[in-house]
Amino acid sequence: MTKGTSSFGKKHTAKTRKYNWSEKAKRRKTTGTGRMRSLKLVARKFRNGFQVGAPKGARGPASSSS
């Protein structure tokens, strides 16, 4: 078996085997140690309720087409 594969063989290669003897190594690899390109924006988006699109005032005056 090659290094980095799971204990189940080639079928589950995404799930890398983890043991508690390398606690420091896990700390180095965990979330927050790298750039976190997308995840660092999630906290701000969560506070605002995952709003999408332009703000209400930026769309211009409300035109009632009736």
Side-chain angles (χ1 to χ4, degrees):
M1 188 182 306
T2 56
K3 182 181 175 187
T5 58
S6 71
S7 58
F8 305 111
K10 293 282 184 186
K11 189 177 177 184
H12 300 274
T13 48
K15 188 185 281 188
T16 312
R17 291 191 297 174
K18 292 180 182 175
Y19 300 105
N20 288 328
W21 60 265
S22 61
E23 193 179 337
K24 276 183 173 180
K26 274 200 254 179
R27 235 182 284 146
R28 289 184 210 112
K29 290 182 176 187
T30 192
T31 312
T33 56
R35 280 176 63 181
M36 294 209 313
R37 272 166 280 194
S38 60
L39 201 60
K40 64 184 167 188
L41 307 172
V42 172
R44 174 171 53 85
K45 287 180 178 181
F46 173 75
R47 281 197 300 268
N48 294 316
F50 295 98
Q51 297 172 352
V52 206
K56 287 194 174 97
R59 294 193 196 110
S63 59
S64 59
S65 58
S66 58

